[in-house]
């Protein structure tokens, strides 16, 4: 019995590690998406430190390949305290010295050496002779690929001890390498745009291209992070079913907590994707019947039986993108339900016709919001309740959409009485 508990504990530890790694990648990707590209160098160095510390590496770095001149150069580096930097010594290194790396990277594979001391002694220019003077005991190098072209690699050295990388770690490091490619590419594109400011047509084309790549990048990261989440959710669900009779209530609660956090992270990824794309979707505006849209939302979100949602009759039809307005009303309605501690929660949806504008209001009888938080709740990842599965992005998405439509949004609230969120949009967006 003790052996089974140990095995389960190890599985839980692995899952917790993967979840923490994925959460770190989400945090880094969010910073990259919202980055001031003038600070790309410090942003990359910071992320190298974060990932390096997390995987237990002593040195992490980025190299660029020059396949025309058959050289490679160290462009970014982070070293743990007490570890000697090597970046100045690793410029324009002949690729022939590391041909094994290049062969793996051309196949899109990681180059991994678990124990450098086990490499063959193949001369002063052999791989072992290059790595041992740097104090490297283990290393992994992940290829950087841009538009199906190999451009370099991101690597992690273990100097103080040997480090064994699991397949899941390798897969997540590939995601990180993709993030680096994108942020570097965005910086290159911005520099190009700045050099072409005299040409308005070229400037607009590059901006459009950059926005598309950001959108594709966000969707790629979302997909790559959600796939392992689905596997984890399935694995834990199987464990609960198969081991239900042998596990006590405490262990079952731990599994439920893991499932809760997986679902929470899944919502977080969806929220980041929505936040990053709401102003980049280029679809033709059309007339939207808000009566139909709001009713479909109410049916789709499975409102609890004790919650009453009152919708004012004859909501107007407006011009805009139905996906954006669905996000607005869905997030506001869900927030009004989630942040409500009353026995009988009530949500009221209304509107007013104000000349050139429509004013909408979503009112609840929930916990209310302190005046000092009226602006803060519209910021990304701001939450009133950390125990909620809500990722804290909903209101920031709403504000971004309303701003996109040149409208305004504000809050009226009293603690323990309730909250009304008002917003106005032009009748012709």
């Amino acid at each position: 019995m003790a052996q089974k508990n140990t095995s389960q504990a190890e599985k839980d530890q692995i899952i917790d590690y993967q979840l923490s790694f994925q959460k770190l990648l989400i945090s880094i990707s969010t910073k990259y998406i919202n980055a001031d590209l003038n600070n790309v160098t410090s942003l990359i160095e910071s992320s190298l430190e974060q990932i390096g510390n997390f995987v237990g590496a002593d040195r992490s770095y980025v190299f660029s390949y020059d396949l025309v001149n058959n050289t490679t150069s160290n462009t970014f580096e982070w070293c743990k305290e007490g570890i000697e930097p090597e970046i100045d010594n690793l410029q324009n290194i002949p690729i022939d010295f590391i041909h094994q790396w290049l062969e793996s990277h051309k196949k899109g594979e990681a180059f991994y050496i678990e124990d450098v001391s086990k490499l063959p002694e193949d001369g002063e220019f052999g791989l072992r002779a290059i790595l041992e003077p740097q104090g490297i005991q283990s290393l992994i190098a992940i290829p950087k690929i841009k538009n199906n072209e190999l451009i370099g690699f991101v690597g992690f050295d273990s100097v103080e001890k040997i480090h064994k990388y699991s397949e899941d770690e390798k897969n997540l490091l590939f995601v990180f390498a993709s993030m680096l490619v994108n942020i570097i590419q965005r910086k290159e594109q911005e520099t190009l745009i700045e050099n072409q400011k005299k040409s308005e047509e070229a400037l607009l084309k590059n901006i459009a291209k950059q926005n598309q790549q950001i959108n594709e990048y966000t969707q790629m990261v979302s997909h790559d992070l959600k796939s392992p989440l689905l596997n984890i959710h399935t694995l834990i669900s199987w464990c609960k079913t198969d081991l239900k009779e042998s596990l006590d209530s405490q262990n079952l609660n731990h599994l439920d907590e893991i499932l809760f956090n997986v679902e929470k992270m899944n919502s977080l990824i969806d929220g980041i994707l929505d936040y990053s794309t709401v102003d980049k979707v280029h679809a033709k505006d059309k007339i939207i019947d808000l009566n139909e849209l709001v009713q479909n939302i109410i049916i789709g979100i499975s409102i609890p039986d004790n919650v009453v949602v009152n919708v004012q009759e004859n909501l107007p039809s407006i011009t805009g993108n139905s996906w954006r307005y669905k996000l607005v009303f869905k997030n506001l309605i869900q927030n009004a339900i989630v942040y409500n501690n009353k026995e009988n929660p009530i949500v009221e949806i209304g509107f007013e016709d104000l000349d050139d504008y429509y004013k909408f209001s979503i009112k609840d009888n929930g916990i209310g919001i302190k005046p000092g938080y009226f602006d803060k709740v519209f910021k990304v990842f701001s939450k009133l309740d950390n125990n909620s599965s809500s990722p804290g992005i909903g209101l920031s998405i709403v504000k971004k959409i309303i701003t996109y439509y040149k409208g305004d949004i504000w809050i009226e609230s009293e603690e323990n009485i309730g909250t009304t969120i008002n917003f106005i949009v032009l009748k012709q967006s």
Side-chain angles (χ1 to χ4, degrees), residues 22-251:
Q22 291 163 18
K23 187 175 181 180
L24 175 59
L25 288 175
I26 290 172
S27 173
I28 292 173
S29 69
T30 303
K31 291 178 182 177
Y32 279 9
I33 290 169
N34 298 307
D36 178 356
L37 295 181
N38 292 319
N39 298 320
V40 165
T41 297
S42 61
L43 193 66
I44 291 175
E45 289 174 348
S46 174
S47 62
L48 284 174
E49 179 179 359
Q50 288 178 284
I51 298 293
N53 278 325
F54 190 89
V55 301
D58 301 306
R59 185 189 293 120
S60 54
Y61 43 83
V62 179
F63 272 68
S64 292
Y65 279 129
D66 182 351
L67 299 181
V68 175
N69 296 306
N70 288 319
T71 62
T72 183
S73 295
N74 194 173
T75 53
F76 300 93
E77 182 187 64
W78 165 81
C79 294
K80 183 179 176 181
E81 186 175 354
I83 301 299
E84 284 292 322
E86 295 290 344
I87 188 168
D88 292 336
N89 304 323
L90 298 172
Q91 301 299 315
N92 299 314
I93 303 299
I95 289 178
D96 291 340
F97 289 176
I98 55 169
H99 64 90
Q100 303 97 323
W101 299 28
L102 185 62
E103 289 170 3
S104 294
H105 291 167
K106 282 183 175 180
K107 298 175 185 176
E109 300 172 353
F111 180 72
Y112 173 42
I113 302 175
E114 183 178 341
D115 188 348
V116 170
S117 67
K118 294 182 179 179
L119 289 173
E121 296 188 12
D122 49 355
E124 62 176 317
F125 298 113
L127 189 56
R128 181 171 176 175
I130 293 173
L131 300 177
E132 282 189 332
Q134 300 177 50
I136 300 171
Q137 295 195 56
S138 303
L139 72 81
I140 187 168
I142 308 294
K144 292 192 304 168
I145 298 173
K146 180 178 75 173
N147 300 329
N148 296 320
E149 179 184 352
L150 178 63
I151 62 170
F153 60 89
V154 53
F156 300 86
D157 293 345
S158 297
V159 176
E160 296 181 346
K161 61 181 180 181
I162 291 174
H163 183 87
K164 183 174 183 178
Y165 287 90
S166 68
E167 287 302 313
D168 287 323
E169 280 182 303
K170 292 178 186 177
N171 291 335
L172 291 169
L173 289 175
F174 268 92
V175 176
F176 176 59
S178 296
M179 293 179 184
L180 285 174
V181 168
N182 186 269
I183 192 70
I184 293 171
Q185 187 174 8
R186 284 175 57 199
K187 177 59 179 177
E188 292 171 350
Q189 289 166 355
E190 186 181 74
T191 301
L192 178 63
I193 289 171
E194 289 175 352
N195 293 335
Q196 294 177 335
K197 283 184 177 179
K198 293 181 181 180
S199 172
E200 183 178 354
E201 180 179 356
L203 175 65
L204 293 175
K205 285 182 179 179
N206 278 280
I207 290 174
K209 182 179 180 181
Q210 177 178 332
N211 286 337
Q212 168 119 17
Q213 289 172 338
I214 293 172
N215 188 25
E216 292 173 353
Y217 155 73
T218 306
Q219 294 186 36
M220 178 275 295
V221 171
S222 172
H223 177 270
D224 286 351
L225 290 177
K226 290 185 76 167
S227 294
L229 279 183
L230 177 61
N231 292 336
I232 293 170
H233 194 285
T234 302
L235 176 62
I236 298 301
S237 298
W238 285 347
C239 287
K240 281 188 64 180
T241 301
D242 295 343
L243 302 176
K244 186 175 182 180
E245 301 300 326
S246 60
L247 293 177
D248 57 27
S249 59
Q250 183 179 9
N251 285 325

Side-chain angles (χ1 to χ4, degrees), residues 135-392:
I136 300 171
Q137 295 195 56
S138 303
L139 72 81
I140 187 168
I142 308 294
K144 292 192 304 168
I145 298 173
K146 180 178 75 173
N147 300 329
N148 296 320
E149 179 184 352
L150 178 63
I151 62 170
F153 60 89
V154 53
F156 300 86
D157 293 345
S158 297
V159 176
E160 296 181 346
K161 61 181 180 181
I162 291 174
H163 183 87
K164 183 174 183 178
Y165 287 90
S166 68
E167 287 302 313
D168 287 323
E169 280 182 303
K170 292 178 186 177
N171 291 335
L172 291 169
L173 289 175
F174 268 92
V175 176
F176 176 59
S178 296
M179 293 179 184
L180 285 174
V181 168
N182 186 269
I183 192 70
I184 293 171
Q185 187 174 8
R186 284 175 57 199
K187 177 59 179 177
E188 292 171 350
Q189 289 166 355
E190 186 181 74
T191 301
L192 178 63
I193 289 171
E194 289 175 352
N195 293 335
Q196 294 177 335
K197 283 184 177 179
K198 293 181 181 180
S199 172
E200 183 178 354
E201 180 179 356
L203 175 65
L204 293 175
K205 285 182 179 179
N206 278 280
I207 290 174
K209 182 179 180 181
Q210 177 178 332
N211 286 337
Q212 168 119 17
Q213 289 172 338
I214 293 172
N215 188 25
E216 292 173 353
Y217 155 73
T218 306
Q219 294 186 36
M220 178 275 295
V221 171
S222 172
H223 177 270
D224 286 351
L225 290 177
K226 290 185 76 167
S227 294
L229 279 183
L230 177 61
N231 292 336
I232 293 170
H233 194 285
T234 302
L235 176 62
I236 298 301
S237 298
W238 285 347
C239 287
K240 281 188 64 180
T241 301
D242 295 343
L243 302 176
K244 186 175 182 180
E245 301 300 326
S246 60
L247 293 177
D248 57 27
S249 59
Q250 183 179 9
N251 285 325
L252 286 172
N253 286 337
H254 287 159
L255 293 178
D256 287 335
E257 185 176 352
I258 293 173
L259 286 175
F260 174 81
N261 282 300
V262 169
E263 292 164 1
K264 185 176 179 179
M265 188 170 292
N266 189 65
S267 298
L268 178 63
I269 295 170
D270 287 338
I272 291 173
L273 182 62
D274 288 339
Y275 182 82
S276 302
T277 56
V278 290
D279 57 350
K280 299 179 179 69
V281 173
H282 300 292
K284 188 175 181 180
D285 287 342
K286 63 179 182 180
I287 296 175
I288 305 165
D289 182 349
L290 291 182
N291 297 284
E292 180 180 351
L293 182 141
V294 171
Q295 288 302 323
N296 287 338
I297 291 172
I298 293 172
I299 293 170
I301 61 178
S302 301
I303 295 173
D305 293 337
N306 65 323
V307 177
V308 175
V309 179
N310 296 320
V311 183
Q312 183 175 331
E313 293 184 357
N314 299 319
L315 292 178
S317 293
I318 58 176
T319 302
N321 178 276
S322 59
W323 175 70
R324 291 192 181 101
Y325 276 107
K326 183 177 179 181
L327 283 176
V328 168
F329 282 97
K330 181 179 179 181
N331 279 300
L332 292 178
I333 293 170
Q334 286 181 324
N335 265 30
I337 295 172
V338 169
Y339 297 107
N340 199 312
N341 58 355
K342 301 299 190 299
E343 184 177 347
N344 295 302
I346 299 174
V347 181
E348 298 178 357
I349 302 170
F351 87 100
E352 294 180 51
D353 192 331
L354 303 175
D355 296 329
D356 296 331
Y357 293 87
Y358 285 125
K359 174 187 174 184
F360 296 93
S361 61
I362 288 78
K363 180 179 180 182
D364 65 63
N365 63 337
I367 62 175
I369 304 172
K370 294 179 181 179
Y373 285 85
F374 284 7
D375 292 328
K376 292 180 181 179
V377 296
F378 290 115
K379 295 181 179 179
V380 180
F381 304 129
S382 293
K383 299 173 62 176
L384 296 176
D385 179 6
N386 287 327
N387 294 322
S388 166
S389 61
S390 168

